[in-house]
Amino acid sequence: MTETEAALRTLAHNVRAARIRAGLSLDEFGRRAKVSKGALVALEKAQGNPNFATLVRLADTLGVSVSALMEGPAQARVRVVSADTLIPLWTGEMGGEARLMLTTSGPAPVEVWRWKLEPGEEYPSHPHQAGVVETVSVTAGQMVLIADGAEHPVEAGQTATFDGDVSHTYRGSGTGTCHLIMTVHIPPGPTLPA
């Protein structure tokens, strides 16, 4: 079995288990996540290939982190992760990328992401579930954070935080590549939207 097949099986198992724990039928899950029932059936049979935006919608709907859907059981108390061993979950048209490094354990997990954005490159995100807070720390270059329609320039050495339950976009700016660390703070327990 290839790494991709194994990852898809893990994703399928985790999505189905989280959906059942949440007490959601495939129809209701699809309605809330805005994903077709057919796509969910394929995914739960390890036959689907969801894009990054779909993974985020599924995780938000289930009240879990993206990595909770993608990772197998934790095997050690300390995890050390190298970015070059992780496949990007998002790749931009100009060479940008986002890699989910890890998610902390506990009742209020935090996802840790490494992003690279080229000047003018954008990643738009839909609003997350209520209580999600995102933080971006630019380590090199410049970006513009657009949250609920307002633009906020963020450059190397600066950190911005915002409530993730609004539409938001990350845009590379300036003349060079922007590197940033993004954290997604997920509220405790599943909070399923109506």
Side-chain angles (χ1 to χ4, degrees):
M1 178 182 327
T2 68
E3 273 187 57
T4 302
E5 291 169 332
L8 193 52
R9 284 190 181 182
T10 298
L11 176 64
H13 174 268
N14 291 345
V15 167
R16 185 172 193 282
R19 177 182 62 78
I20 290 170
R21 272 194 312 274
L24 294 174
S25 68
L26 281 167
D27 289 322
E28 182 63 13
F29 185 34
R31 184 187 70 76
R32 291 182 184 193
K34 297 179 176 73
V35 175
S36 74
K37 181 179 177 180
L40 292 174
V41 168
L43 175 60
E44 288 191 3
K45 290 182 177 180
Q47 297 169 347
N49 187 15
N51 64 27
F52 177 57
T54 299
L55 287 174
V56 172
R57 283 197 312 274
L58 296 176
D60 281 348
T61 301
L62 294 167
V64 299
S65 67
V66 171
S67 63
L69 297 180
M70 300 182 62
E71 293 178 347
Q75 297 178 356
R77 292 186 73 122
V78 175
R79 291 180 289 159
V80 177
V81 181
S82 297
D84 59 352
T85 64
L86 302 170
I87 61 168
L89 292 179
W90 172 81
T91 52
E93 294 179 7
M94 301 172 163
E97 62 183 31
R99 295 174 191 252
L100 177 58
M101 299 301 295
L102 59 85
T103 302
T104 63
S105 58
V110 177
E111 296 177 347
V112 180
W113 293 79
R114 290 182 92 169
W115 283 75
K116 179 174 76 168
L117 293 167
E118 297 302 328
E121 190 168 43
E122 289 189 353
Y123 175 76
S125 178
H126 72 284
H128 301 297
Q129 65 176 317
V132 169
V133 175
E134 290 193 20
T135 302
V136 292
S137 295
V138 176
T139 59
Q142 301 171 339
M143 69 170 288
V144 174
L145 167 65
I146 305 166
D148 207 18
E151 293 191 6
H152 307 275
V154 187
E155 57 188 56
Q158 294 183 321
T159 299
T161 188
F162 63 98
D163 293 334
D165 60 355
V166 298
S167 294
H168 51 283
T169 299
Y170 297 152
R171 180 191 310 140
S173 64
T175 58
T177 303
C178 176
H179 293 272
L180 63 108
I181 302 295
M182 187 237 323
T183 58
V184 180
H185 304 259
I186 300 165
T191 51
L192 299 174

